[in-house]
């Protein structure tokens, strides 16, 4: 029996599409990428705050306002989104998910001085520069969420392919910076969940099959106990907070508001939850005010890359 919490008391207004109609899996793929960026931008404002600090400083955090410890302009994103875009570009350019291409893309991204970068990512990219080896050494200490936050391009590029192919593709990108069993398990689960939702599968089935298997194989991921607040960058904390929010809510908006108000590594929990919620609910579910607030260039890049990755069907 998995954790179930109270739904946020919020109505879900009907939104009518004004743009072109896309096949369902394309619609959900674009929504997943926009959801990632929106969750990133929303969560960045309260990153590293505790839930109590959020309540005292903001109340209920529900708007993309920028600020936070990074002092971002409203609508700007962090490494969660920009690393995903860098990975997606490498996949499209190489025609497959390739470890060396991913490492080179991440290295170029780091040389461009991103607004934020995780310690594990930095350390292992510096090692890549020194050795030319795109695979970091396996380490029990590298169970951060830096690989999990950027899995979406792999999920889109490998949509419709065997699970084995998808897992191999994920390892190629993940092990550049995070060569860790728990990180791998989380990444693979998230990828398969996104692909399930692209195919229109029911959330109850996805929770039972994907989240259930993850917890069965790695009980440390169990999320049916106390509410996970102030999650750290540890991938287990991240997944627990995301799953609690995602499976206990019934709209895109409620999911993201719930997860970012838990504080902690809120840009990453927001990005991952937004990715899953976008894939589950589709473009029409995303509040117009959030789409308008998101940086226009990032919005365009996310949507275009989603379409191209799904069309490429690379491995």
């Amino acid at each position: 029996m998995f954790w179930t919490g109270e739904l946020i008391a919020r109505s879900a207004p009907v939104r009518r599409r004004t743009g072109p109609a896309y096949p369902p899996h394309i619609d959900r793929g674009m929504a997943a990428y926009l959801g990632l960026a929106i969750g990133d931008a929303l969560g960045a404002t309260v990153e590293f705050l505790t839930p109590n600090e959020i309540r005292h400083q903001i109340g209920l955090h529900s708007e993309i306002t920028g600020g936070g410890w990074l002092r971002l302009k409203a609508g700007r994103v962090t490494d969660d989104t920009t690393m995903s875009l860098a990975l997606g570009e490498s996949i499209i350019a190489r025609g497959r998910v390739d470890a060396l291409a991913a490492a080179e893309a991440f290295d170029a991204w780091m040389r461009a001085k991103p607004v934020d970068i995780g310690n594990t990512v930095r350390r292992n990219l510096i090692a890549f520069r020194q050795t030319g080896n795109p695979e970091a050494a396996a380490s029990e200490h590298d169970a951060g969420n830096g690989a999990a936050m950027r899995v979406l391009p792999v999920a889109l590029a490998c949509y419709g392919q065997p699970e084995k192919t998808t897992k191999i593709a994920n390892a190629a990108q993940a092990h550049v910076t995070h060569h860790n069993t728990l990180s791998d398990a989380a990444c693979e689960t998230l990828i398969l969940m996104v692909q399930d939702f692209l195919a229109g599968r029911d959330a109850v089935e996805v929770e039972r099959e994907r989240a259930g298997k993850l917890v069965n194989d790695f009980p440390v991921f169990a999320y049916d106990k106390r509410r996970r607040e102030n999650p750290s960058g540890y991938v287990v904390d991240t997944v627990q907070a995301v799953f609690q929010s995602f499976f206990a809510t019934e709209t895109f908006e409620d999911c993201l508001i719930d997860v970012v108000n838990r504080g902690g590594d809120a840009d990453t929990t927001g990005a991952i939850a937004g990715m899953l919620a976008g894939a589950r609910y589709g473009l029409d579910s995303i509040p117009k005010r959030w789409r308008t607030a998101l940086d226009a260039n990032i919005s365009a890049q996310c949507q275009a890359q989603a379409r191209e990755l799904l069309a490429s069907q690379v491995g």
Side-chain angles (χ1 to χ4, degrees), residues 143-165:
N145 55 23
M149 72 186 190
R150 61 179 193 245
V151 297
L152 183 55
V154 177
L156 300 177
C158 295
Y159 177 63
Q161 298 187 20
E163 287 188 17
K164 181 178 180 180
T165 300

Side-chain angles (χ1 to χ4, degrees), residues 34-241:
L34 283 175
L36 185 153
I38 286 170
D40 182 2
L42 183 69
T45 303
V46 294
E47 185 180 16
F48 301 141
L49 296 181
T50 67
N52 193 47
E53 288 171 334
I54 296 171
R55 284 191 291 270
H56 280 84
Q57 294 180 26
I58 301 173
L60 180 69
H61 178 53
S62 61
E63 305 301 327
I64 296 176
T65 58
W69 76 277
L70 290 170
R71 296 181 173 85
L72 296 177
K73 292 182 179 179
R76 297 295 296 273
V77 295
T78 74
D79 52 342
D80 302 76
T81 304
T82 55
M83 282 199 86
S84 297
L85 289 167
L87 175 60
E89 289 173 4
S90 79
I91 294 171
I92 293 166
R94 190 59 60 95
R96 65 182 186 278
V97 184
D98 179 82
L100 181 58
E104 291 172 341
F106 296 152
D107 183 50
W109 166 84
M110 185 168 70
R111 290 180 188 276
K113 301 186 183 306
V115 67
D116 188 24
I117 182 170
N119 291 330
T120 302
V121 170
R122 179 188 290 106
R123 170 168 47 81
N124 284 318
L125 289 180
I126 289 173
F128 165 68
R129 289 180 185 177
Q130 296 170 340
T131 67
N133 182 357
E135 182 174 80
S139 173
E140 64 180 32
H141 302 295
D142 287 355
N145 55 23
M149 72 186 190
R150 61 179 193 245
V151 297
L152 183 55
V154 177
L156 300 177
C158 295
Y159 177 63
Q161 298 187 20
E163 287 188 17
K164 181 178 180 180
T165 300
T166 296
K167 291 179 179 181
I168 292 171
N170 173 67
Q173 74 85 17
H175 291 179
V176 174
T177 57
H178 292 70
H179 193 167
N180 176 274
T181 301
L182 292 177
S183 171
D184 285 348
C187 289
E188 292 166 6
T189 299
L190 292 169
I191 288 170
L192 294 173
M193 287 175 67
V194 168
Q195 292 176 338
D196 286 341
F197 289 126
L198 295 184
R201 291 193 64 190
D202 180 74
V204 174
E205 295 178 0
V206 173
E207 181 178 21
R208 182 173 59 247
E209 181 175 340
R210 304 300 187 191
K213 184 178 187 304
L214 177 65
V215 172
N216 183 67
D217 292 347
F218 300 93
V220 68
F221 283 102
Y223 56 98
D224 57 345
K225 298 179 182 179
R226 65 180 179 83
R227 177 180 168 91
R228 171 61 70 183
E229 292 194 335
N230 198 29
S232 71
Y234 180 37
V235 73
V236 173
D237 283 2
T238 298
V239 167
Q240 288 174 331

